[in-house]
Amino acid sequence: MSSTICALATAPGGALGIIRISGPQTLEILSRIFTKDLRNAQPNTIHYGHIIVQTSNPIDEVLVSVFRAPHSYTGEDSAEISCHGSRYILNKVIELLIQNGCRMAEPGEYTQRAFLNGKMDLSQAEAVADLIASSNKATHQLAISQLRGGISTELSRLREQLLKLTSLLELELDFSDHEDLEFADRSELFELTKEIDNHILKLAHSFEAGQAIKQGIPVAIIGKTNVGKSTLLNRLLHEERAIVSDVHGTTRDTIEDTIDIQGVTFRFIDTAGIRQTTDTIEQIGISRTYAAIEKARIVLWLIDAEPTQEEVQEIQERCQDKSLIIIQNKIDTQPATQPPIELCPLATGGTQETSNLRSSSARLLPEGRKKPQTSNLLRISAKHGTNIDALEQAIYQAANIPTISDSDIIVSNARHYNALLSAHHNISRVLEGMGGIMTNGEWSMIHESTSGDFLSEDLKLVLDDLADITGQGRIVTNEILSNIFTHFCVGK
Ligand code: GDP
């Protein structure tokens, strides 16, 4: 029989603290330290009373919520004690629970039990940790969609298709002596396999967007000395940082250079150099600029005069797989009559104040999404704040974050991504085994294939890869479980 576990589920320091208990002895143990007998308590009920030592000394006035198996988070009998948030009280209640038969929960043990009792699959269990860690609208939506079974549903659909494919091939194999019988049209099977591979790849491709949302999107500000990079950075960070320091009482120094635009986090990379405004271009070094570009997904190239054709080409080349936004700063110093900077050979039209952005890449684009349009120069004054809204809009568009809805599956977990890559690798072997060849990223069937024997073996590997993600229909080793759940806190 499994043990009964307890842990503090809330962060210390609040007005209330919640202690979670789960396991078959929950109500038995609780009844020994509570003023009411809860052994026959109805499910989903709340009980008012006192936690007491040796049937008399009250420790605290509490509310106990009772959940009965299997209708609880863990699937076991469980309870939550809402106490006053005193460290002494919380420690004392946990101590009493342990004295009466509970043991301290391991990190993530509640969620692990929920998984083992079939209340959720592995990907949903992982989403619990993401949900608790979510800090903005986008990360929250990502986690909640996964928790609600977004990826699980998609995978079980793929699994069904794969099972169908495997059984068709196996049927053929069983009757292979009957040469006149044809069970499965190979070219149809080939098309079906291709379709499954495309789905797997689409999910794998979404990982980049998923990661970007989870980690924040790296942005580099580049440009010559005195062009206004540091002024722009401060302008972009200003409000955000002010809010953060007010709310959390944090100091400016410790805050990472990030901004949230429409619920998505953007991380400014390598900004230390930018802030040292006395550095000359030689000191900062051109290589440093290139290193910053390398790490970025979005590059803000600040100019105040017309760049040379070589410079434009150089930057464009280095930004081939990035979104590049070219910004003309200090427009306040230019007479209204001055013609806008012309960019050769990039410029495709006249200047626009607000923009679609120039993007040379679809790096963050999940397949099938529209590529951002290339655009013209964005004209701003970092000093006076002119057109900063438009710039923020352009940065947001450059990220090309898909709107996450229930039907939009975004993979954000590296474990899932690796399993998908492995599934793609194995299904490519199936396609090859069927006589397929890949040219220009497209599979085509060039000859009738070999034995169905190997094919169904490889298909089983694909099934296993997909099953690894949810843990369903697959034995999940203790190693995998502990890898996942040790990253949780105690109490989750
Ligand atoms: P960095 O070397 O690229 O980081 O440039 P700074 O941000 O240190 O700016 C260099 C100088 O340009 C400073 O004196 C800024 O006040 C000034 N500057 C920056 N942006 C603007 C702007 O939009 N208009 C004007 N007139 N001056 C600006």
Side-chain angles (χ1 to χ4, degrees):
M1 196 199 287
S2 83
S3 49
T4 298
I5 52 174
C6 68
L8 181 65
T10 46
L16 294 179
I18 296 177
I19 292 165
R20 253 179 168 180
I21 311 160
S22 183
Q25 296 289 303
T26 296
L27 300 175
E28 178 76 41
I29 294 172
L30 248 179
S31 297
R32 292 182 206 143
I33 64 164
F34 190 55
T35 38
K36 287 180 183 157
D37 185 350
L38 295 175
R39 283 174 295 181
N40 294 315
Q42 291 298 305
N44 305 330
T45 49
I46 299 178
H47 306 263
Y48 166 81
H50 290 83
I51 297 288
I52 43 169
V53 187
Q54 286 160 356
T55 65
S56 55
N57 276 346
I59 300 293
D60 194 17
E61 191 182 41
V62 301
L63 288 175
V64 176
S65 312
V66 171
F67 309 93
R68 309 291 308 236
H71 303 293
S72 68
Y73 180 74
T74 54
E76 305 171 324
D77 276 355
S78 55
E80 288 173 12
I81 314 175
S82 300
C83 310
H84 290 101
S86 132
R87 200 176 288 255
Y88 171 76
I89 291 175
L90 296 169
N91 283 342
K92 192 74 196 165
V93 176
I94 288 179
E95 190 186 306
L96 283 173
L97 286 168
I98 289 172
Q99 278 167 9
N100 282 279
C102 281
R103 77 160 164 78
M104 270 308 277
E106 303 284 338
E109 195 170 358
Y110 294 93
T111 311
Q112 182 167 346
R113 287 185 174 202
F115 163 67
L116 293 172
N117 289 325
K119 299 296 287 185
M120 56 178 75
D121 67 36
L122 266 191
S123 76
Q124 289 171 313
E126 288 166 316
V128 173
D130 289 346
L131 189 66
I132 294 168
S134 68
S135 57
N136 58 33
K137 190 173 156 207
T139 43
H140 171 259
Q141 273 184 321
L142 205 63
I144 204 103
S145 145
Q146 191 173 318
L147 186 62
R148 293 179 66 193
I151 190 162
S152 318
T153 316
E154 180 80 358
L155 291 176
S156 72
R157 229 168 37 78
L158 282 174
R159 235 176 109 76
E160 262 168 44
Q161 288 181 331
L162 281 162
L163 284 172
K164 189 174 143 200
L165 198 62
T166 315
S167 54
L168 284 172
L169 282 169
E170 281 182 355
L171 194 67
E172 191 175 319
L173 213 61
D174 289 346
F175 292 89
S176 53
D177 298 344
H178 303 256
E179 279 179 10
D180 49 333
L181 285 177
E182 195 181 337
F183 292 91
D185 178 340
R186 276 297 162 92
S187 59
E188 260 176 44
L189 289 186
F190 189 79
E191 286 308 308
L192 184 58
T193 315
K194 249 169 64 176
E195 210 177 289
I196 297 172
D197 184 39
N198 281 340
H199 268 111
I200 291 172
L201 271 181
K202 192 174 162 201
L203 283 175
H205 279 145
S206 73
F207 180 64
E208 199 151 13
Q211 274 299 91
I213 293 170
K214 224 164 152 177
Q215 315 281 343
I217 294 158
V219 183
I221 304 180
I222 61 162
K224 293 188 171 152
T225 308
N226 278 335
V227 73
K229 296 183 296 298
S230 146
T231 312
L232 175 62
L233 180 67
N234 286 335
R235 171 68 64 184
L236 285 169
L237 296 175
H238 183 68
E239 275 178 36
E240 196 68 26
R241 290 165 74 90
I243 290 166
V244 171
S245 21
D246 283 353
V247 175
H248 300 293
T250 40
T251 64
R252 266 182 88 90
D253 297 350
T254 57
I255 305 166
E256 204 194 349
D257 286 332
T258 65
I259 52 168
D260 264 27
I261 304 175
Q262 296 176 35
V264 175
T265 302
F266 293 84
R267 258 185 314 117
F268 288 92
I269 52 172
D270 206 14
T271 49
I274 296 179
R275 289 167 185 285
Q276 292 158 10
T277 50
T278 49
D279 271 2
T280 64
I281 190 79
E282 287 77 22
Q283 280 167 324
I284 295 173
I286 208 84
S287 60
R288 184 158 183 175
T289 303
Y290 293 156
I293 294 177
E294 197 59 30
K295 285 187 255 166
R297 297 270 172 92
I298 298 172
V299 177
L300 309 183
W301 183 20
L302 217 53
I303 54 176
D304 58 1
E306 197 170 329
T308 65
Q309 195 162 331
E310 289 73 42
E311 283 172 328
V312 174
Q313 267 169 356
E314 177 74 41
I315 298 292
Q316 193 191 24
E317 244 159 60
R318 288 187 184 267
C319 291
Q320 259 175 27
D321 61 345
K322 327 269 174 198
S323 291
L324 174 64
I325 303 175
I326 307 180
I327 304 158
Q328 181 185 355
N329 190 27
K330 307 192 185 181
I331 55 166
D332 56 295
T333 59
Q334 287 153 13
T337 49
Q338 186 168 320
I341 290 177
E342 286 291 334
L343 289 176
C344 287
L346 288 171
T348 50
T351 305
Q352 277 184 342
E353 297 283 316
T354 57
S355 78
N356 303 313
L357 51 129
R358 181 186 303 281
S359 166
S360 47
S361 105
R363 205 174 149 186
L364 293 180
L365 296 182
E367 267 196 344
R369 275 177 198 282
K370 229 174 83 192
K371 245 184 154 186
Q373 293 176 10
T374 57
S375 85
N376 310 308
L377 201 63
L378 193 65
R379 303 176 75 232
I380 65 160
S381 166
K383 189 169 179 176
H384 299 282
T386 316
N387 267 337
I388 298 300
D389 288 351
L391 174 59
E392 286 190 351
Q393 188 57 27
I395 294 173
Y396 179 77
Q397 282 181 17
N400 223 281
I401 293 294
T403 321
I404 309 157
S405 67
D406 284 351
S407 56
D408 240 334
I409 314 293
I410 308 280
V411 173
S412 64
N413 182 305
R415 196 181 66 80
H416 303 178
Y417 178 61
N418 286 331
L420 288 166
L421 287 188
S422 173
H424 167 61
H425 170 77
N426 284 321
I427 208 162
S428 299
R429 284 162 46 121
V430 177
L431 285 162
E432 266 168 31
M434 283 177 164
I437 186 165
M438 161 87 84
T439 33
N440 299 328
E442 266 291 316
W443 283 100
S444 47
M445 198 168 165
I446 49 162
H447 59 82
E448 276 285 310
S449 72
T450 53
S451 149
D453 208 358
F454 298 118
L455 298 183
S456 60
E457 281 309 306
D458 283 335
L459 277 172
K460 278 182 195 148
L461 290 179
V462 182
L463 275 166
D464 285 350
D465 289 328
L466 298 186
D468 277 345
I469 297 176
T470 57
Q472 280 170 332
R474 188 115 165 97
I475 295 164
V476 183
T477 63
N478 280 338
E479 194 188 346
I480 295 178
L481 284 182
S482 73
N483 262 342
I484 294 173
F485 291 105
T486 46
H487 298 300
F488 279 60
C489 289
V490 174
K492 277 184 205 164

